[in-house]
Amino acid sequence: MSKKVLAVSSGGGHWVQLMRLKKSFVGCNQVYVTVNADYKSYIDTDAVFYKINDATRWDKFSLVILVLRLFWIIALERPDITVSTGAAPGYIAIRIAKLFGSKTIWIDSIANVEKISLSGEKISKHADYCLTQWEHLQNDKFVFLGKCL
C-alpha cells in the first residue's frame, strides 16, 4: 500500500516550489491543498485537490475558517506525510497533521534569502523536518539539501 502525501501551500511562489517537488511524490497517493482553484490544472488527474481560503495572521476570522477546513481535509484524508512550502496554510496543516500522526516536512521558501520566514521559525518547533533552500541559513533546526527552483 502506497503512502499518502498531503502537499499544502499558499499561492504564487509557494505553489511553484511545491510543484517542483511533485516528481518526488510519484508512487504515492497524492493530495494537494492550496488557495487557488485554477491550480488544479497543474496536478495529475489521479491526485486529489482541495481549494481552501487564503488567510494571514492579520485576519483572524479567515484563519478560523482555514483551520476548520484544513482540519476537515486532514481528518478525511489521514496523510502519512505532510509537506508544505508555506505559508499560513502550510503552518496550520502541519500543526493539524501532527495531531493525526503524520510525518511533517516544512520547506522554507526560496524567497527568504536573509533569514528563515516567521512561519518557518514557528513551525520548526513542531515539524519533523525543516529544510531551507539557502545553505547559509542552515542551522540546528533547518537543513540545506538544495533548492526547489
Side-chain angles (χ1 to χ4, degrees):
M1 186 168 170
S2 63
K3 300 278 185 187
K4 184 179 280 188
V5 174
L6 177 72
V8 183
S9 81
S10 55
H14 296 284
W15 178 256
V16 170
Q17 291 167 67
L18 192 64
M19 289 298 93
R20 298 287 171 112
L21 299 170
K22 194 169 68 169
K23 288 185 205 168
S24 304
F25 310 144
V26 171
C28 298
N29 294 323
Q30 301 170 35
V31 180
Y32 292 90
V33 179
T34 189
V35 298
N36 187 332
D38 294 338
Y39 291 168
K40 186 174 184 178
S41 63
Y42 290 88
I43 65 168
D44 299 331
T45 55
D46 58 341
V48 176
F49 180 86
Y50 293 97
K51 190 258 181 206
I52 54 172
N53 64 301
D54 203 359
T56 68
R57 61 188 161 135
W58 310 113
D59 183 355
K60 305 297 185 213
F61 181 74
S62 292
L63 275 176
V64 170
I65 301 297
L66 180 59
V67 168
L68 294 173
R69 180 88 166 118
L70 283 168
F71 189 90
W72 179 81
I73 291 167
I74 292 167
L76 182 69
E77 296 293 341
R78 305 282 176 143
D80 299 298
I81 302 163
T82 301
V83 178
S84 180
T85 52
Y91 172 87
I92 295 166
I94 284 178
R95 292 295 305 268
I96 295 170
K98 287 296 291 179
L99 297 174
F100 287 90
S102 178
K103 292 290 183 191
T104 56
I105 303 169
W106 174 270
I107 302 167
D108 213 50
S109 173
I110 197 164
N112 302 306
V113 178
E114 296 184 10
K115 63 180 187 176
I116 300 295
S117 68
L118 178 61
S119 297
E121 282 294 334
K122 291 190 175 294
I123 204 63
S124 68
K125 299 172 189 139
H126 308 283
D128 293 305
Y129 304 101
C130 293
L131 305 173
T132 176
Q133 298 185 60
W134 294 101
E135 192 170 4
H136 65 278
L137 296 179
Q138 184 171 232
N139 58 35
D140 60 329
K141 299 176 190 170
F142 285 83
V143 175
F144 173 76
L145 296 176
K147 298 176 181 175
C148 293
L149 298 178

